[in-house]
Amino acid sequence: MDDDALMAEIAGGCRPAFELLCRRHLKRSLGVAQRVLGSPQDAEEVVQDALLQLWEHADRWRGGEAKVSTWLYRVVLNRSLDYRRRRSFAPLEDAGDIPSGQPDAEALVEERQLAACVEEAIAGLPDRQRAALSLCYYGELSCAEAAASLQVSVSAMESLLVRARRMVRARLAGLTGASPTGMAPAGKDPGGAGEGGRS
């Protein structure tokens, strides 16, 4: 069943349909919320609240006007930003100790330190730039989908991404002492080249 069909079932009180829709979008929703909030616990609280809203207002859903996922990510994003404004932001703490027996402990430490620097750089971004990166790089939305979630034009979303990446590069240089272009996280690169984002 596609999302619109599931929403129709949910509107009729079908809990299995709700559970299926939740499972389908939970990982990305948590990813978006956690990147905005910096806390897995806060992200879970926000996403639970967003999913509860979906359950309570499913009867208002009109298919064809927007994708269910776009609407859900917009709710998650808005609630995350509101939650972050209400509570003072605390920097992310390092993850727990590296499990013993890893083949290259030094590389893992360096990777963790780099990830912490990236997290800190992203945490210092203005809300809308942070949201843009969260949606495109960690929520894995296309630029158009992210623009719809933020309710801005695609060109405005691209501009947010450009400014966010520039600021992340500059902040990474300040945090690590590296040149602004000399450092990039492994895998996804919110500070790297390619100014247009995912399209």
Side-chain angles (χ1 to χ4, degrees):
M1 296 179 70
D2 64 20
D3 286 351
D4 283 334
L6 288 174
M7 287 295 282
E9 294 288 326
I10 295 167
C14 179
R15 186 164 291 276
F18 175 67
E19 292 172 353
L20 176 57
L21 192 67
C22 288
R23 287 195 300 272
R24 187 174 291 177
H25 297 291
L26 182 62
K27 183 176 180 180
R28 282 190 179 183
S29 296
L30 285 171
V32 168
Q34 184 170 340
R35 289 293 164 175
V36 174
L37 295 167
S39 163
Q41 293 79 16
D42 292 346
E44 288 177 6
E45 184 174 336
V46 163
V47 170
Q48 286 174 5
D49 188 48
L51 292 172
L52 178 61
Q53 182 173 341
L54 183 149
W55 170 262
E56 292 176 343
H57 302 295
D59 58 336
R60 301 180 189 175
W61 178 254
R62 298 293 177 266
E65 296 178 2
K67 294 173 65 176
V68 173
S69 59
T70 301
W71 174 84
L72 177 60
Y73 298 146
R74 183 189 307 149
V75 173
V76 169
L77 182 61
N78 288 340
R79 290 184 178 273
S80 297
L81 292 172
D82 289 343
Y83 192 96
R84 187 166 181 250
R85 292 185 190 109
R86 289 197 308 266
R87 303 184 66 174
S88 59
F89 180 80
L92 287 176
E93 296 180 0
D94 290 339
D97 294 332
I98 299 174
S100 59
Q102 291 294 337
D104 190 353
E106 184 176 349
L108 289 173
V109 169
E110 290 177 357
E111 183 177 341
R112 178 173 295 161
Q113 290 172 339
L114 176 57
C117 287
V118 172
E119 292 286 359
E120 187 172 346
I122 294 174
L125 291 174
D127 284 346
R128 290 173 69 81
Q129 291 179 24
R130 181 182 172 89
L133 282 182
S134 298
L135 289 169
C136 287
Y137 288 97
Y138 303 105
E140 299 181 0
L141 271 64
S142 69
C143 195
E145 290 171 332
S149 291
L150 270 181
Q151 296 181 300
V152 299
S153 66
V154 172
S155 61
M157 172 60 66
E158 290 173 347
S159 178
L160 283 170
L161 289 170
V162 168
R163 294 198 303 273
R165 284 193 293 259
R166 286 176 181 163
M167 190 172 290
V168 166
R169 284 196 295 265
R171 288 180 182 275
L172 284 176
L175 289 169
T176 65
S179 65
T181 57
M183 190 163 192
K188 294 175 183 174
D189 177 17
E195 301 295 353
R198 296 179 71 243
S199 58

